[in-house]
Amino acid sequence: MADPSPASFGTQANALLRKNLTYQRKHIWTNVRLILVPVFLCLLLLAIQQVLDALMNSVSQMANDCKTNPDMPGDICPISNPPLLPPMLQLPQHELRSVKADFLPYRDLPDKSCRVTEGSCPVTILITGDKQPLGKDLSENIFATSFAVNTSDVLPSLANNVLGSTEAAGENNYADPRIASDLPIYSIQPLCSAKSTWPLSFAKIQTEVKCVQGLCLWRNNSAEVNDELFKGSWKGNPAGLTNEIAAAYDLKSTDKKNFNVTIWYNSTYKDEFSTRPLKLVRVPRSINLVLNASLYP
Ligand SMILES: *[C@@H]1O[C@H](CO)[C@@H](O)[C@H](O)[C@H]1NC(C)=O
Ligand SMILES: *[C@@H]1O[C@H](CO)[C@@H](O)[C@H](O)[C@H]1NC(C)=O
Ligand SMILES: *[C@@H]1O[C@H](CO)[C@@H](O)[C@H](O)[C@H]1NC(C)=O
Ligand SMILES: *[C@@H]1O[C@H](CO)[C@@H](O)[C@H](O)[C@H]1NC(C)=O
Ligand SMILES: *[C@@H]1O[C@H](CO)[C@@H](O)[C@H](O)[C@H]1NC(C)=O
């Protein structure tokens, strides 16, 4: 006969423990999962930490490299004191500069024969406006008559000259492709004398400044300028000739009290149809040029 008295506490606890153990054994994989999830999360955090550490290390390594060797290749170092680069005019290539042509009525352009001798074609600037006498004064003042730099202060004093380049500008102004390469920089002057090249060196750059003659020609109105610019493109004239103008200005109503000028420039140099970022255009020097010339009539 079974003992009707209730089981002792020890027996009850023992039974409960066994029941629990059996239950937990049946669900062993649930338990394993419960333990593994936090372990997995910890491992994930550890991995992220490792990756971040590695990244931070390479960044500070790079900063150190930049400190010890600021000329590291690849443009990755910050430029703490960017040099004051002189602004330049965009000049057409020698053999594409504007010359006399049958499809143009103007006789003041240079003869086509200049294209045969390297360096002998002048660069042309066109001027129009309401007042031809002002245009005449301005075109006599627009170019500097010499090339001069202060050897103890080269870069800033370069900007006092009228310099130009046939090379397009880059995507930023920190490294002008013109200044970094070894092609000559042009100094535009009304007439080039016999001595027409000057050596130029600053920072680590050795280059040469070459005189190029500048012509500043008056046109009767802006429609004529537009027409001449349009016909200067090889698609704009029946002969398929390229006749490029360096810059053109419409002085409009400009007088001693009022500066009101339109500037033409060639926007092809922006390279807007390529997939790369837009390039800069060399317009600032063009603005300074006409402004400075109109300040000293
Ligand atoms: C050349 O530059 C130095 C330094 O800026 C200046 O002291 C000097 O007066 C300049 N010389 C001329 C002729 O402008
Ligand atoms: C501005 O024009 C004056 C007078 O022609 C000239 O002496 C000076 O060098 C010019 N400055 C620049 C920055 O072109
Ligand atoms: C420009 O104007 C001048 C004077 O008014 C005139 O002689 C000349 O033929 C004009 N030029 C053109 C291309 O129309
Ligand atoms: C503008 O510049 C481009 C690129 O150098 C050249 O091909 C084109 O002829 C220029 N257009 C004019 C009107 O000068
Ligand atoms: C500048 O010239 C344009 C065209 O000639 C004219 O419409 C405008 O009123 C002028 N602006 C000033 C400030 O004179």
Side-chain angles (χ1 to χ4, degrees):
M1 202 178 100
D3 186 354
S5 63
S8 72
F9 175 76
T11 320
Q12 274 188 17
N14 191 9
L16 204 57
L17 182 73
R18 278 164 194 278
K19 184 182 165 196
N20 245 331
L21 270 181
T22 320
Y23 179 84
Q24 298 296 358
R25 203 181 302 132
K26 267 192 197 154
H27 294 88
I28 180 90
W29 288 115
T30 313
N31 289 330
V32 167
R33 277 204 299 273
L34 275 176
I35 294 166
L36 279 189
V37 165
V39 169
F40 172 73
L41 284 179
C42 287
L43 286 179
L44 190 70
L45 285 177
L46 195 70
I48 292 176
Q49 180 76 57
Q50 295 289 334
V51 169
L52 284 181
D53 280 355
L55 274 180
M56 298 315 279
N57 264 344
S58 64
V59 167
S60 64
Q61 175 68 35
M62 215 144 76
N64 272 337
D65 286 354
C66 285
K67 245 179 244 157
T68 51
N69 177 18
D71 299 328
M72 282 234 302
D75 290 340
I76 49 177
C77 293
I79 303 171
S80 45
N81 292 308
L84 289 167
L85 298 181
M88 296 201 196
L89 281 176
Q90 183 72 56
L91 303 183
Q93 301 280 354
H94 180 259
E95 61 283 1
L96 303 179
R97 291 178 193 159
S98 195
V99 290
K100 273 191 208 114
D102 296 338
F103 53 86
L104 291 173
Y106 310 109
R107 299 293 98 194
D108 48 5
L109 289 165
D111 195 79
K112 198 179 172 192
S113 61
C114 75
R115 289 192 175 180
V116 181
T117 322
E118 178 66 38
S120 59
C121 279
V123 294
T124 305
I125 288 182
L126 300 179
I127 289 198
T128 184
D130 297 351
K131 304 177 192 67
Q132 185 166 9
L134 173 77
K136 194 166 169 292
D137 285 349
L138 208 140
S139 53
E140 279 165 10
N141 268 318
I142 201 159
F143 305 121
T145 48
S146 63
F147 173 78
V149 286
N150 182 342
T151 43
S152 53
D153 209 8
V154 174
L155 279 178
S157 65
L158 267 181
N160 293 330
N161 297 280
V162 183
L163 300 181
S165 165
T166 53
E167 203 91 338
E171 285 156 17
N172 62 59
N173 256 341
Y174 293 125
D176 188 320
R178 178 60 236 91
I179 302 233
S181 70
D182 50 5
L183 291 161
I185 294 173
Y186 293 100
S187 159
I188 303 132
Q189 301 179 17
L191 266 182
C192 292
S193 57
K195 181 195 179 307
S196 61
T197 62
W198 301 266
L200 178 69
S201 57
F202 53 90
K204 295 188 189 82
I205 291 154
Q206 301 279 338
T207 183
E208 192 181 45
V209 174
K210 258 190 180 159
C211 180
V212 59
Q213 191 192 352
L215 287 180
C216 194
L217 307 176
W218 176 264
R219 295 292 177 254
N220 287 351
N221 53 54
S222 63
E224 279 186 17
V225 175
N226 272 334
D227 187 58
E228 189 168 346
L229 290 177
F230 177 76
K231 286 183 176 155
S233 157
W234 64 273
K235 284 187 235 166
N237 65 75
L241 191 74
T242 304
N243 239 5
E244 287 183 34
I245 299 293
Y249 304 105
D250 186 350
L251 303 176
K252 299 200 257 191
S253 54
T254 295
D255 56 27
K256 280 197 162 40
K257 291 193 190 128
N258 177 21
F259 185 74
N260 188 4
V261 175
T262 301
I263 293 176
W264 280 273
Y265 68 94
N266 184 345
S267 66
T268 311
Y269 290 99
K270 280 187 201 166
D271 246 357
E272 39 197 343
F273 300 113
S274 90
T275 50
R276 296 173 57 82
L278 280 192
K279 285 190 177 169
L280 298 173
V281 281
R282 301 187 186 277
V283 180
R285 189 64 182 102
S286 191
I287 300 173
N288 292 348
L289 194 64
V290 67
L291 185 57
N292 189 55
S294 62
L295 287 176
Y296 300 91

